[in-house]
Amino acid sequence: MLLVCGIISALSYRNDISNDLISALERLEYRGYDSAGIAYLDNGNELKRIRTVGKVQQLKEAVEKANVKSHIGIGHTRWATHGKVTEFNAHPHVTDGVAVVHNGIIENYQDLRKRLISEGYTFESETDTEVIAKLVASHIKTGKTFLDAFKCAIAEFTGTFAIVAIYEKEPSLLLGAKRGSPMAVGISPDKQSAYIASDAVALSTLVDELVYLEEGDIVVVKKDAQLSYEIFDASGSCTNRQVVQNKVSLNDVTKNGYETFMLKEIFEEAAVARRTYERFNYDTEVAKYDNISIIACGTSYYAGVLSKYWIEEIAKVHVDVEIASEFRYRKPVMRKNSLYIFISQSGETIDTLCAMRLVKEAGMKTLALVNVDTSSIAREADYIVKIEAGVEVGVASTKAFVAQTLSLLIMCAGKSAVHIDDIEHSINSILNGNYDFAGLANKLKDSRCLFYIGRGTSYPIALEGALKIKELSYISAEGYPSGEIKHGPIAIIDENVYTIALAPFDQYFEKTVSNTQEILARNGKVLLITTEDARASLHGLDENANVECVFLPKCETLYYPFALTTTIHLLAYHTAKAKGYDVDKPRNLAKSVTVE
Ligand code: M6R
């Protein structure tokens, strides 16, 4: 198993490509941040490599110290599972003048490794990537050119990957291959440098236009009288791919005065809702189907769970919501006249993508609800609904969840029935309100574990709240339907456990409040998140020494999930900060999961 890492590479007339490599790796760091490295040809075209364990900052310092002067190089930031986090396992991997970086997994690497060992190669790392460098080198040894050797090696790999390679004896050639993992190529506006990277974020500030490679493509970037690139498709034919604008701006990839990307992105939630609403012009007609199946992972899955409440109540269509990694490995029965909705911020999550392929093979209609419309899931779906979250850099998904849930609400209720002014106002009242989330977080941070509970549409928000707490604060947190707590989990409750109860003053309020009483009776602590209009119905609960209350402004019941979302995101943010953790780069995680 491996999560996506970040790739950047450059070929230039200039001699300072290390600056571009490092700045791109800084932007790519959200994709993996266990270790990083670059390989480059120095002025004498000798292959050099610098790798460091830890964040890109460490690599940057090492590169500055080495005073790198180079016109061609490749860089990588890694999220490890295949081999520990060590310098030996960090990319690039190098053999006989060939250097490679790689995202994804080479599934047959054990067989290839054995073969290469029998040919006399010795391995220094535990990674699958090292076989790539050695296999290309072994083909070069038989007399092949770098390009032919690269093509032969790629043809031998099974799995999903994006690979970039350079070779010291062919210093004007940069090669890339894409199968399963995203890859893009572009030339700088001044035509002085060309780049291959794993996403548009890496290329922002470097190119205005780019080309996304298709499945099985190999790209050859050359420096002759001018810089150029050629793309060969899976059958080996030279092909053209559509040139698109690089929509990622500097503003998207900088913190803009905020301390972290996550805080910046939470503070964008109201504007993202407005933009998603205004640009929404899809005719999705969910009501014409007998059944809707929603398939996704993580936060995107919780957006699906929330929409089930809305779609069934408003559009009166039956909805199933499934975790993609489970869906794809069971034998799902596909129902006629069903719409299958795949939700993914990145559009690259492999389990969601593979689940979608399974559904397509069965001849069903697929709709992708994505933030990245050039992503694999977007490209392969029958219909696309694009959310307008903008680039989300924080590993914890925040503003995308708002855009996903709002899009699903519009899809079932219709645009004219959704009052964006109210939603925007509701989110802004949390962002600009006088709430002491940092103070509350200080109380939550030492909890042995946490429960998030809610009923109705507050339940999926409880799930999302618990996920955010665990991924950022490393506190074991469970989202539970309020009514289910007494069917087992209540055994965990004692004075060291906090329960965050989401109970706006809706039809479920009384029931959730009575569930909090059961928790208080077992000495548990409660943070009750409710609304102003509930004050008179608390009957002294807010005076209990074990209860903290947050009163959100009253709004239409339908829109409470939006105010609650911003609230739970801010609580997760402050809890992680209170614990002193890096909220943008929580341990063990990466932004998108492109290999299962
Ligand atoms: O890009 P996707 O929406 O497909 O990603 C799904 C999950 O990996 C993602 O939501 C993950 O759970 C986040 N870290 C949650 O904050």
Side-chain angles (χ1 to χ4, degrees):
M1 288 222 305
L2 196 78
L3 294 189
V4 74
C5 310
I7 288 177
I8 178 69
S9 58
L11 173 60
S12 181
Y13 291 108
R14 302 191 330 254
N15 209 16
D16 60 355
I17 51 96
S18 64
N19 296 335
D20 291 348
L21 296 182
I22 294 294
S23 71
L25 287 178
E26 285 175 327
R27 291 191 291 278
L28 280 172
E29 202 170 12
Y30 74 111
R31 292 189 160 251
Y33 34 84
D34 289 341
S35 53
I38 63 167
Y40 58 95
L41 303 187
D42 69 9
N43 282 341
N45 285 332
E46 193 185 330
L47 184 63
K48 298 271 172 68
R49 172 172 63 171
I50 303 174
R51 298 181 293 177
T52 53
V53 168
K55 308 257 162 80
V56 172
Q57 181 59 30
Q58 269 91 306
L59 179 70
K60 186 178 183 176
E61 285 161 19
V63 169
E64 277 166 9
K65 209 164 148 198
N67 193 22
V68 174
K69 293 276 174 274
S70 172
H71 73 283
I72 185 168
I74 58 179
H76 191 265
T77 176
R78 177 171 188 248
W79 191 98
T81 61
H82 226 122
K84 293 196 187 75
V85 182
T86 62
E87 196 180 312
F88 280 128
N89 286 335
H91 298 213
H93 288 277
V94 165
T95 300
D96 299 341
V98 174
V100 301
V101 288
H102 159 228
N103 287 349
I105 185 162
I106 305 298
E107 283 167 1
N108 57 338
Y109 87 100
Q110 292 284 16
D111 292 343
L112 292 168
R113 191 178 161 112
K114 276 187 210 141
R115 192 179 104 198
L116 289 159
I117 288 171
S118 73
E119 284 178 26
Y121 287 100
T122 51
F123 282 77
E124 65 168 20
S125 78
E126 302 155 290
T127 68
D128 51 343
T129 310
E130 203 180 342
V131 301
I132 305 172
K134 291 196 165 36
L135 194 59
V136 176
S138 85
H139 282 301
I140 290 174
K141 245 191 198 167
T142 67
K144 292 190 173 72
T145 63
F146 176 34
L147 176 57
D148 286 342
F150 185 75
K151 283 182 176 171
C152 286
I154 296 295
E156 290 188 69
F157 298 137
T158 58
T160 54
F161 48 77
I163 296 169
V164 173
I166 54 173
Y167 177 43
E168 68 181 2
K169 299 215 171 107
E170 299 194 41
S172 296
L173 208 52
L174 178 62
L175 304 179
K178 175 215 154 71
R179 199 188 297 161
S181 292
M183 179 169 272
V185 58
I187 293 182
S188 62
D190 65 4
K191 312 273 184 255
Q192 291 298 295
S193 308
Y195 305 90
I196 307 175
S198 51
D199 69 25
V201 170
L203 296 176
S204 66
T205 77
L206 299 176
V207 304
D208 295 339
E209 291 181 333
L210 53 87
V211 162
Y212 288 96
L213 299 197
E214 302 272 334
E215 280 309 290
D217 282 355
I218 285 183
V219 60
V220 180
V221 181
K222 281 188 206 149
K223 189 174 77 169
D224 296 317
Q226 56 183 27
L227 276 167
S228 64
Y229 60 82
E230 272 181 314
I231 297 173
F232 297 91
D233 67 15
S235 71
S237 308
C238 192
T239 186
N240 285 320
R241 301 286 180 217
Q242 195 190 353
V243 178
V244 294
Q245 291 295 314
N246 188 358
K247 292 186 201 147
V248 180
S249 69
L250 189 60
N251 178 40
D252 288 326
V253 291
T254 50
K255 291 182 197 151
N256 245 350
Y258 285 93
E259 199 185 339
T260 62
F261 279 107
M262 184 184 175
L263 195 61
K264 174 190 169 208
E265 288 162 5
I266 295 172
F267 272 83
E268 285 171 355
E269 287 184 350
V272 160
R274 162 75 59 190
R275 195 167 60 223
T276 296
Y277 178 86
E278 282 175 352
R279 296 193 189 165
F280 194 97
N281 66 351
Y282 305 92
D283 185 6
T284 45
E285 286 185 88
V286 293
K288 79 177 183 197
Y289 295 94
D290 296 331
N291 180 69
I292 308 260
S293 285
I294 300 179
I295 297 153
C297 302
T299 284
S300 297
Y301 168 75
Y302 297 143
V305 178
L306 174 57
S307 75
K308 176 179 168 76
Y309 290 80
W310 287 332
I311 300 173
E312 293 199 338
E313 186 177 333
I314 301 168
K316 309 276 182 245
V317 180
H318 174 263
V319 179
D320 298 311
V321 192
E322 293 224 41
I323 300 260
S325 56
E326 286 300 310
F327 179 87
R328 62 178 288 206
Y329 284 119
R330 56 184 190 81
K331 302 274 172 284
V333 176
M334 316 268 177
R335 300 199 213 173
K336 281 193 199 130
N337 196 29
S338 290
L339 176 65
Y340 286 79
I341 301 179
F342 297 84
I343 310 177
S344 176
Q345 184 283 127
S346 61
E348 299 294 349
T349 299
I350 195 72
D351 283 320
T352 311
L353 178 61
C354 290
M356 189 171 86
R357 287 179 179 157
L358 193 73
V359 168
K360 282 197 82 166
E361 276 163 25
M364 312 306 288
K365 287 289 171 219
T366 57
L367 182 150
L369 180 63
V370 287
N371 194 28
V372 184
D373 55 357
T374 48
S375 61
S376 308
I377 291 175
R379 282 203 306 264
E380 293 188 27
D382 296 307
Y383 313 110
I384 303 176
V385 173
K386 183 185 175 331
I387 61 168
E388 296 293 340
V391 176
E392 193 178 64
V393 175
V395 165
S397 187
T398 53
K399 60 179 180 171
F401 181 72
V402 173
Q404 288 165 341
T405 52
L406 177 61
S407 299
L408 289 158
L409 179 59
I410 300 171
M411 280 161 68
C412 72
K415 199 168 171 179
S416 57
V418 174
H419 302 134
I420 188 60
D421 290 349
D422 293 356
I423 293 173
E424 192 181 33
H425 177 262
S426 185
I427 298 173
N428 274 329
S429 65
I430 309 303
L431 293 174
N432 307 323
N434 197 15
Y435 299 102
D436 183 16
F437 291 120
L440 291 168
N442 256 321
K443 296 186 188 226
L444 298 177
K445 77 175 191 345
D446 298 318
S447 196
R448 179 162 55 83
C449 61
L450 279 167
F451 282 107
Y452 245 112
I453 61 170
R455 276 176 191 257
T457 54
S458 298
Y459 163 55
I461 309 298
L463 294 173
E464 164 68 357
L467 177 62
K468 287 292 162 297
I469 289 277
K470 52 190 152 202
E471 72 179 323
L472 298 172
S473 297
Y474 322 141
I475 301 173
S476 172
E478 277 194 80
Y480 245 88
S482 310
E484 191 65 13
I485 280 279
K486 57 181 160 295
H487 295 284
I490 201 162
I492 294 175
I493 299 290
D494 63 20
E495 65 280 8
N496 298 313
V497 176
Y498 245 108
T499 298
I500 305 170
L502 303 181
F505 199 53
D506 59 12
Q507 55 177 315
Y508 309 109
F509 171 79
E510 297 289 351
K511 296 240 181 289
T512 301
V513 163
S514 95
N515 297 137
T516 64
Q517 296 287 10
E518 293 154 7
I519 287 161
L520 290 167
R522 273 106 190 144
N523 298 324
K525 296 203 172 81
V526 170
L527 167 56
L528 181 73
I529 300 180
T530 184
T531 43
E532 286 290 352
D533 48 340
R535 277 186 194 274
S537 307
L538 287 174
H539 308 300
L541 184 66
D542 46 338
E543 281 154 27
N544 186 315
N546 280 337
V547 177
E548 297 287 337
C549 280
V550 172
F551 294 96
L552 309 182
K554 174 179 164 27
C555 72
E556 202 181 312
T557 308
L558 184 64
Y559 305 140
Y560 278 139
F562 296 100
L564 288 174
T565 295
T566 303
T567 303
I568 57 114
H569 285 163
L570 284 169
L571 263 181
Y573 174 82
H574 285 290
T575 308
K577 290 292 289 179
K579 293 190 79 106
Y581 295 143
D582 182 341
V583 293
D584 284 339
K585 301 185 195 87
R587 72 183 183 203
N588 303 342
L589 296 179
K591 185 64 183 164
S592 58
V593 185
T594 55
V595 182
E596 61 180 302

